[in-house]
Amino acid sequence: IVKQPRQRVSVTPEGFAGDVQADRRFHGGPDKAVHHFPADHYARLARQFPALAPRLGPGTLGENLSTLGWTDDDIAIGDVYGAGNVALQVTQPRSPCWKIDDRLGEPGASRWIAGQGITGWYCRVLAGGELRLGDELVVIERPAVPVTVAATGITATTATLRGEGNAKGNATSVSFEYGTTTAYGLTA
């Protein structure tokens, strides 16, 4: 999950050019082509694991894309967002695994991240192109009944609906304007 910062990156149906997933049984593929992790969560990680604070930033958890202002509580499964010609569609929350603990040297970090509901999400690439650091990302489409990444259940691989709630029966009604954010970190 070691990623290197990029100023710009080519986006293809398989994800960011130059990105490699070591275990393709659980990582990568069309529905997990891009991992988006909100940079807003780094502060929470730093408070919980102070010794890690200097190391936290884009790519630390294996994410390809980091932004400020969008979190798991804002973004819904099925949302489509992009910049320029690039269009990404949110497919599922990330299920953190032992590799995060190993990378950070902090046993239990992945379980804490999952328990806090700050996992980020995976996207499929609907349209490829180039993303640049600082590009404005815009939500261009949202499902009629949005279910946020947080509302799906942290380790879920798909959103399961029961009426208008999630699999746990929690309300999933959200208010989110078709907002924008800026590409804070690009890594591959």
Side-chain angles (χ1 to χ4, degrees):
I1 65 174
V2 177
K3 309 290 182 187
Q4 300 301 314
R6 305 275 194 245
Q7 293 297 309
R8 65 180 186 209
V9 66
S10 293
V11 183
T12 73
E14 287 295 313
F16 284 13
D19 189 25
V20 177
Q21 295 84 32
D23 186 349
R24 297 286 291 189
R25 293 174 302 154
F26 301 108
H27 303 284
D31 287 341
K32 296 181 181 180
V34 174
H35 175 222
H36 187 147
F37 185 77
D40 308 71
H41 297 329
Y42 298 130
R44 286 177 69 181
L45 284 165
R47 282 192 302 275
Q48 181 66 24
F49 305 103
L52 298 177
R55 297 176 33 212
L56 296 173
T60 303
L61 301 180
E63 69 272 22
N64 304 110
L65 176 61
S66 296
T67 55
L68 289 165
W70 289 354
T71 69
D72 309 58
D73 292 315
D74 302 313
I75 297 298
I77 304 298
D79 277 356
V80 176
Y81 60 90
N85 294 331
V86 175
L88 305 174
Q89 183 176 41
V90 179
T91 58
Q92 61 187 278
R94 179 186 190 181
S95 297
C97 71
W98 63 270
K99 291 177 185 172
I100 291 174
D101 294 3
D102 192 55
R103 165 106 164 106
L104 299 178
E106 191 67 55
S110 60
R111 180 171 285 156
W112 185 85
I113 290 166
Q116 295 296 303
I118 57 172
T119 63
W121 52 89
Y122 285 115
C123 297
R124 71 174 55 100
V125 177
L126 298 179
E130 183 175 86
L131 280 179
R132 295 174 186 262
L133 196 62
D135 276 354
E136 181 179 73
L137 296 167
V138 179
V139 175
I140 51 181
E141 188 178 315
R142 171 154 272 209
V145 179
V147 178
T148 66
V149 172
T152 64
I154 304 314
T155 60
T157 55
T158 59
T160 304
L161 294 177
R162 184 180 342 160
E164 291 189 2
N166 67 9
K168 296 179 183 176
N170 298 325
T172 57
S173 174
V174 295
S175 173
F176 180 74
E177 295 298 319
Y178 284 74
T180 63
T181 189
T182 302
Y184 174 79
L186 298 172
T187 62

